[in-house]
Amino acid sequence: MSRSSESQGLQVALILSAMLIVALGVSTYIYYVAAEKSAKELENQIGVADTAAKSRDSYQAAYEIMKGMVGWSKRSQAEIDADYRPNLARNTEVAEEMAKIEAAYNDDMQKFGSQFTEARNYHALPGYLIGVINSKNESLTAALAQEQRLNAEIAAVQAGEQKKTEIAETAMQNALATVAADKAAHDAEAARLKADSDKFSGMFVAASGEKKKVAEDAAKEKANFEAQIRNLSNINELLVVKGREEELAVINEQPDGKISWVNQQQQVVWIDLGMADGLRRGQTFSVVDREATDLRSAIPKAQIEVTRLIDKHLSEAKILSDEITNPILPADVVFSPAWSAGERIHFALVGNLDYDGDGESDHKLVQNVILSNNGVIDALVPPTGEPSGEITVNTRYIVVGDRPTDKSDESALTNYSSMTELARKYGVEQISVKKLLSSMGYRGEARTVGLGRGASEDDFRPTSAGGVTEKSTAPVGGIFRDRRPPGAKSAF
């Protein structure tokens, strides 16, 4: 009985143990499945959190970069790039969108602030653009003022040209009247001669015996008449030349202006000529003593160049050259054959114009000096080449250079002679190139020799007036022998 009870207890215990084992296995399996699911979910959440952190860092970097673009960041652009730009690439979508924004920003900065050297951003750009607009407005205002000044100068020049044109037209009318009167006299004389010829012809027909005598008398009468015509023509040319010489003498004896004030320390003078006289900066004058009576033959005491127009009849000029023993004084007169108030002086150039004595033509130099002083070149006959322009009644000076030699081209000699003869007929005053440039206040370039290691002994050799180095032929003593620097001595 007792053994049966023990057997049943063992069976029950065995069944319960089996049930516990099964229950434990089931619960273990269920727990494992749940734990594996929880691990996967945790891994997913970690990935989501990492993605969110990357997006957060990328958006933060984009935010800081855009603050720098707007100009609202306290950091410099270098600091922003160092701290935030590496995080921008952590989110591809944000990085691509930010690349578009930065491209548009760079286009705007290049378009509107290419010269903006300060920290460039949208906050500072409007101030820069306002400054640029104000600067452009100031430049425009200055340009308009310059235009008004130039218009005033043009009006003054036009007024002078109009006055000169009226004078020329009056002279032309007088010349036409003179020509008409001479033609009328010539026609009357021709009619008289024809009448005399008819008379002589009638007498010849009537008296054939006196044919030879009548023919001789008629030939003599014709010769006398032609001689009278030539004499009248020569007298007319002389009167024209004399009248032109008297006119030029009056013009040349009148100074262009006077010295108002002198500052020898600063090498500056003031003259009583200005904007209303048609004066321009760069105009040069020679200064002549106030006691001089003939400006054409007076020796200039100084040369000046206009540097500033102060008022209608006042300008400042710098002293180009003067003499300490004969300084410029107030009331000294200024003169230039290439300038006259309210008009432009006309010139003709002929021959080889050698100013500096080097044997080369200085035609270009003379032309440039005349044109820079508001002069006009009517005619030009260079040493070689074809002549251009022509002398007119308005031509005041002919600058005469060296005559072409016999070895020159025949056309050069012909052109030279034709031009000088035409100038003589028109009564144009002849002037040498040196006298012209000296009277205009032109100062030639001076030769300078540099000192120091780059200097050469050839730069200091004496030369004669002909430019040839002079050498002594007498014996030279030992004291004057060539010197050489001592050779380097060895230290051993």
Side-chain angles (χ1 to χ4, degrees):
M1 184 72 175
S2 58
R3 185 176 291 180
S4 177
S5 298
E6 291 177 1
S7 177
Q8 290 178 355
L10 290 172
Q11 290 178 359
V12 171
L14 182 60
I15 292 170
L16 291 174
S17 297
M19 291 177 66
L20 288 173
I21 292 172
V22 171
L24 180 61
V26 171
S27 62
T28 300
Y29 174 75
I30 293 173
Y31 173 77
Y32 174 76
V33 171
E36 186 177 4
K37 182 178 181 181
S38 298
K40 290 182 178 180
E41 290 180 356
L42 178 61
E43 184 178 356
N44 291 335
Q45 292 298 325
I46 291 174
V48 171
D50 183 61
T51 301
K54 291 181 179 178
S55 297
R56 179 201 64 201
D57 294 341
S58 184
Y59 278 112
Q60 180 67 26
Y63 171 72
E64 292 295 335
I65 292 173
M66 285 192 287
K67 282 177 63 178
M69 293 180 183
V70 175
W72 204 253
S73 178
K74 296 182 179 179
R75 295 168 175 255
S76 66
Q77 188 63 40
E79 292 174 343
I80 293 174
D81 290 341
D83 294 342
Y84 295 102
R85 189 165 292 280
N87 295 334
L88 187 63
R90 301 189 71 178
N91 187 308
T92 304
E93 182 179 354
V94 175
E96 292 177 353
E97 188 65 24
M98 195 61 198
K100 297 178 181 178
I101 294 174
E102 286 188 302
Y105 166 78
N106 291 331
D107 288 343
D108 290 341
M109 291 299 108
Q110 182 64 27
K111 182 185 299 181
F112 301 107
S114 58
Q115 304 298 324
F116 192 24
T117 57
E118 299 178 5
R120 301 199 298 181
N121 53 64
Y122 284 118
H123 180 72
L125 183 60
Y128 164 73
L129 292 177
I130 290 174
V132 172
I133 292 172
N134 291 335
S135 176
K136 295 297 184 181
N137 288 335
E138 292 176 358
S139 300
L140 179 60
T141 302
L144 291 175
Q146 177 75 1
E147 181 184 7
Q148 292 177 355
R149 184 183 66 79
L150 292 177
N151 288 336
E153 293 182 0
I154 291 173
V157 172
Q158 289 177 343
E161 292 293 329
Q162 179 64 28
K163 180 179 178 181
K164 185 185 68 176
T165 302
E166 293 175 356
I167 294 174
E169 289 179 351
T170 301
M172 183 181 68
Q173 294 297 332
N174 293 336
L176 290 176
T178 301
V179 170
D182 291 343
K183 185 176 184 301
H186 179 273
D187 292 342
E189 187 66 19
R192 184 184 68 81
L193 287 177
K194 187 176 184 305
D196 291 345
S197 177
D198 294 341
K199 178 180 177 182
F200 291 149
S201 296
M203 293 175 63
F204 176 77
V205 173
S208 57
E210 298 180 358
K211 178 179 179 181
K212 183 176 181 180
K213 183 176 181 301
V214 170
E216 291 176 353
D217 291 342
K220 291 179 180 180
E221 187 73 16
K222 181 179 180 182
N224 291 334
F225 176 70
E226 290 177 349
Q228 291 177 6
I229 291 177
R230 285 194 298 271
N231 290 333
L232 288 175
S233 178
N234 292 334
I235 291 172
N236 185 50
E237 288 185 4
L238 291 175
L239 290 176
V240 171
V241 171
K242 184 178 180 181
R244 188 64 185 273
E245 289 178 348
E246 292 176 353
E247 177 186 356
L248 291 174
V250 172
I251 293 174
N252 291 331
E253 290 174 1
Q254 298 298 321
D256 295 317
K258 293 183 179 180
I259 301 293
S260 302
W261 175 77
V262 183
N263 187 332
Q264 290 289 353
Q265 183 176 4
Q266 297 183 0
Q267 292 287 285
V268 171
V269 299
W270 284 5
I271 60 177
D272 61 351
L273 299 172
M275 294 177 285
D277 302 303
L279 191 64
R280 301 189 305 177
R281 288 192 298 271
Q283 175 70 47
T284 56
F285 293 97
S286 60
V287 181
V288 181
D289 191 272
R290 55 187 171 182
E291 301 296 335
T293 58
D294 186 358
L295 296 180
R296 289 181 297 177
S297 59
I299 300 176
K301 61 162 49 178
Q303 286 79 34
I304 62 174
E305 178 182 346
V306 177
T307 57
R308 183 164 63 99
L309 303 179
I310 301 176
D311 203 348
K312 293 182 179 180
H313 300 288
L314 185 63
S315 298
E316 182 179 274
K318 65 179 179 181
I319 301 175
L320 299 177
S321 64
D322 62 349
E323 297 180 4
I324 299 178
T325 57
N326 189 15
I328 302 176
L329 300 175
D332 282 345
V333 298
V334 297
F335 173 73
S336 172
W339 187 89
S340 182
E343 65 174 316
R344 301 178 68 184
I345 308 302
H346 291 244
F347 292 83
L349 309 180
V350 62
N352 182 26
L353 305 179
D354 184 7
Y355 171 70
D356 50 13
D358 61 355
E360 299 294 332
S361 176
D362 293 317
H363 257 267
K364 289 295 183 183
L365 169 65
V366 178
Q367 292 180 58
N368 292 336
V369 173
I370 291 175
L371 296 177
S372 64
N373 284 269
N374 204 31
V376 179
I377 298 177
D378 291 336
L380 175 65
V381 179
T384 58
E386 295 296 326
S388 60
E390 61 181 356
I391 292 179
T392 68
V393 293
N394 295 322
T395 308
R396 182 176 297 181
Y397 296 100
I398 178 170
V399 185
V400 180
D402 297 334
R403 180 184 179 87
T405 63
D406 296 337
K407 296 181 180 179
S408 302
D409 186 74
E410 184 177 354
S411 61
L413 289 169
T414 302
N415 294 332
Y416 182 94
S417 301
S418 299
M419 183 67 73
T420 53
E421 178 63 20
L422 186 60
R424 186 189 67 79
K425 288 185 178 181
Y426 276 99
V428 179
E429 181 177 359
Q430 291 190 5
I431 186 171
S432 68
V433 61
K434 291 187 176 180
K435 179 63 176 177
L436 171 69
L437 298 184
S438 174
S439 301
M440 291 172 61
Y442 173 77
R443 183 182 65 176
E445 297 180 353
R447 175 178 176 268
T448 60
V449 177
L451 303 179
R453 293 186 176 181
S456 171
E457 63 179 4
D458 293 332
D459 295 332
F460 300 93
R461 295 188 184 277
T463 57
S464 65
V468 180
T469 301
E470 297 179 349
K471 295 183 179 180
S472 174
T473 57
V476 180
I479 192 173
F480 297 108
R481 68 181 183 276
D482 291 341
R483 301 287 181 172
R484 294 290 184 271
K489 295 182 178 179
S490 174
F492 301 98

